[in-house]
């Protein structure tokens, strides 16, 4: 079962990295407001991350701040199409459908 993690990241400004396991990479989005059940937050597509971030907390190389786990768990793919991703999350804080589309991330 694939895993997800949301990391609170303090650089260059506070945001949350939403990472979904996809084979040997993590698909990534930068959430510009704190996620939460029933919330829709602005989201920006980010570059793929290495799988080590599923378990990592601490300082990042190159002076890029620190990350702290905000939530983690497993998920199922519901949709993966151009411009839209939907997953069913099973985390400690978030459980339910999450849709990333149109520069926003909705947690239902």
């Amino acid at each position: 079962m694939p895993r997800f993690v949301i990391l609170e990241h303090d650089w260059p400004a506070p945001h949350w990295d939403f990472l979904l396991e996809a084979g040997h990479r993590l698909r990534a989005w930068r959430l510009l407001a704190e996620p939460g059940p029933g919330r829709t937050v602005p989201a920006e597509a980010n570059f793929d991350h290495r799988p080590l971030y599923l378990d990592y907390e601490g300082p990042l190389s190159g002076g890029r701040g620190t990350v702290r786990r905000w939530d983690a768990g497993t998920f199922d793919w519901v949709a993966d199409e151009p411009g839209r991703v939907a997953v069913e999350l099973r985390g400690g804080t978030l459980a339910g459908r999450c849709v990333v589309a149109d520069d926003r991330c909705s947690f239902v």
Side-chain angles (χ1 to χ4, degrees):
M1 182 136 330
R3 296 167 56 196
F4 82 93
V5 67
I6 297 176
L7 299 173
E8 191 171 357
H9 189 179
D10 61 2
W11 184 90
H15 65 278
W16 292 260
D17 292 322
F18 180 41
L19 308 173
L20 298 174
E21 187 174 28
H24 298 293
R25 65 187 175 116
L26 301 177
R27 297 199 37 205
W29 293 267
R30 179 179 291 126
L31 306 181
L32 304 178
E34 185 171 5
R39 295 196 69 194
T40 296
V41 300
E44 299 174 344
N46 204 347
F47 62 90
D48 290 347
H49 285 53
R50 296 175 290 164
L52 70 90
Y53 287 106
L54 287 169
D55 300 304
Y56 183 76
E57 290 183 279
L60 300 174
S61 64
R64 295 176 294 134
T66 59
V67 293
R68 181 182 64 82
R69 187 173 299 107
W70 187 89
D71 195 17
T74 60
F75 74 94
D76 290 313
W77 293 101
V78 175
D80 186 6
E81 38 198 61
R84 182 178 179 272
V85 169
V87 294
E88 193 73 29
L89 301 175
R90 288 175 298 284
T93 301
L94 297 172
R97 178 94 20 123
C98 171
V99 178
V100 182
D102 301 323
D103 297 327
R104 63 182 181 252
C105 185
S106 300
F107 298 93
V108 182

